[in-house]
């Protein structure tokens, strides 16, 4: 197996763990009777994990441990925590198990990126193709639920989301030991011994600081999609519960195409324009949700914009971070932006959108005013685009020539 294929399979398994449970997490917590504040607290677990990852996990991967061994241990223990989530129905035990999983899984997202960047000859050109494996994994893992869930699935069936995720996590733990050896980088004489501190200092560079702010806004929008989409499809659009994950996975199918062409798009459009197109995808998708909820074909088709949203912004951010930050802090730099994408943005979405849903739910009919709800993330996307257009000034037009920030 070639190195690129090894990394591709790593991404397949890495994102399949996440894709197994993410679309159904909030509906499942509703089935268990968790209050909105409890659901928001569960959604905040990734924020806690992202913060902990910067100061501990990513620091260890940069300075102390081989990345592939870190992956193996994290996914083994994380798989056990996922299995526990499937059988715990009281809030605090469920939250504790989910928090353990989050603390172990979230850092592996940045570490897996670091493994890919460290072992690819041309990361700017090849990362999109490798990361496409994650998209494939997310799509593939949604198909077992066509058979595991009924059209009106109850909590006893939906708990399979955690069991499937646990099985994939165990497989990735074993597979990680076959990945290319990626030791910590210890030969940078001038490097700060605390990799996370060296990475955080770079936020003082104006274009990095602007990107950090825009990434926060877009990550709230992106995570809000997962909070709202499944209930919107099943309760408002009328799509069966056992098919909603398939509909949502159409966005990942589009992501395969956009990941494949990402290297060429970056070379032609540059950092800023590519990122702006990605955020524009969010604005367009939520606008369609707001005004065309009665058209099932339109709602299904607009899922394809998810590929544009993810590849052209978030994947581009990961590539940019690899180009703009010193190599000896690569895991911490990825973890810093994962703090926004998976952490603070996730926390923000977990508190903001359930509150907005409650605000725009009619007490008598229990119907949600989805038009007003979806115009909020659409407007946030417009603000992010304007900030990026006005203030983001990367040093070079293309990713290959972009110098490292020192």
């Amino acid at each position: 197996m070639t190195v690129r294929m090894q990394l591709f399979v790593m991404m397949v398994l890495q994102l399949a763990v996440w894709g197994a449970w993410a679309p159904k997490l909030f509906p499942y917590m509703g089935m268990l009777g968790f209050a909105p504040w409890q659901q928001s607290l569960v959604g905040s677990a990734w924020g806690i994990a992202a913060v902990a990852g910067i100061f501990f996990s990513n620091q260890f991967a940069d300075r102390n441990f081989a990345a592939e061994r870190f992956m193996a241990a994290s996914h083994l223990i994380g798989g056990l925590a996922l299995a526990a989530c499937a059988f715990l129905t009281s809030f605090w035990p469920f939250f504790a198990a989910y928090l353990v999983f989050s603390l172990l899984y979230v850092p592996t997202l940045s570490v897996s990126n670091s493994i890919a960047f460290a072992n690819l000859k041309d990361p700017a050109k090849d990362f999109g193709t490798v990361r496409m494996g994650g998209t494939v994994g997310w799509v593939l893992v949604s198909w077992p639920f066509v058979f595991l869930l009924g059209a009106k699935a109850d909590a006893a069936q939906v708990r399979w989301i955690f069991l499937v995720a646990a099985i994939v996590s165990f497989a990735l733990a074993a597979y990680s030991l076959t990945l290319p050896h990626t030791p910590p980088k210890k030969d940078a004489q001038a490097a700060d011994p605390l990799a996370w501190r060296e990475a955080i200092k770079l936020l003082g560079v104006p274009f990095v600081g602007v990107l950090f702010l825009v990434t926060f806004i877009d990550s709230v929008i992106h995570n809000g999609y997962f909070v709202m989409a499944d209930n919107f499809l099943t309760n408002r659009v009328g799509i069966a519960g056992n098919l909603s994950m398939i509909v949502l996975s159409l966005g990942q199918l589009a992501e395969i195409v956009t990941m494949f062409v990402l290297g060429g798009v970056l070379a032609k459009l540059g950092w800023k324009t590519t990122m702006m197109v990605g955020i524009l995808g969010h604005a367009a998708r939520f606008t369609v949700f707001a005004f065309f909820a009665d058209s099932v074909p339109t709602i299904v088709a607009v899922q394809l914009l998810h590929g544009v949203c993810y590849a052209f912004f978030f994947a581009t951010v990961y590539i940019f971070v690899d180009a703009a930050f010193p190599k000896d802090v690569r895991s911490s730099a990825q973890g810093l932006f994962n703090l926004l994408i998976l952490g603070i943005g996730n926390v923000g979405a977990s508190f903001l959108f359930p509150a907005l849903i409650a605000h725009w739910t009619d007490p008598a009919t229990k119907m949600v005013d989805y038009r007003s709800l979806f115009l909020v993330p659409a407007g946030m996307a417009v603000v992010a685009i304007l900030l990026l257009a006005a203030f983001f000034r990367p040093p070079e037009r293309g990713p290959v020539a972009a110098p490292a920030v020192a």
Side-chain angles (χ1 to χ4, degrees), residues 239-406:
I239 293 172
N242 63 331
L243 297 179
S244 61
M245 291 181 71
I246 301 299
V247 173
L248 292 172
S249 72
L250 293 176
Q252 277 68 43
L253 290 175
E255 194 176 308
I256 293 174
V257 177
T258 50
M259 283 292 187
F260 186 75
V261 302
L262 179 59
V265 171
L266 271 172
K268 185 174 183 179
L269 299 182
W271 300 116
K272 178 190 288 191
T273 303
T274 303
M275 292 177 186
M276 289 174 63
V277 171
I279 302 173
L280 183 62
H282 280 303
R285 176 171 56 179
F286 281 114
T287 300
V288 170
F289 280 6
F291 292 100
F292 297 94
D294 293 323
S295 175
V296 174
T298 302
I299 295 300
V300 171
V302 82
Q303 301 298 329
L304 297 174
L305 282 178
H306 181 83
V308 174
C309 298
Y310 187 87
F312 287 0
F313 185 78
F314 291 111
T316 298
V317 166
Y318 288 133
I319 299 171
F320 178 81
V321 168
D322 183 69
F325 283 68
K327 299 301 180 185
D328 65 296
V329 295
R330 59 180 180 259
S331 288
S332 294
Q334 296 288 342
L336 185 62
F337 276 81
N338 270 344
L339 173 62
L340 295 179
I341 298 169
L342 306 172
I344 298 175
N346 202 357
V347 172
S350 297
F351 279 90
L352 174 63
F353 292 107
L356 291 177
I357 291 170
H359 175 72
W360 276 306
T361 298
D362 187 298
T365 64
K366 304 300 181 182
M367 297 294 292
V368 179
D369 179 3
Y370 282 108
R371 175 169 297 181
S372 298
L373 176 65
F374 289 138
L375 287 178
V376 173
M380 292 171 63
V382 172
V383 171
I385 291 170
L386 293 176
L387 287 173
L388 204 62
F391 301 110
F392 183 56
R393 298 286 186 270
E396 296 289 343
R397 183 174 180 274
V400 176
V405 177

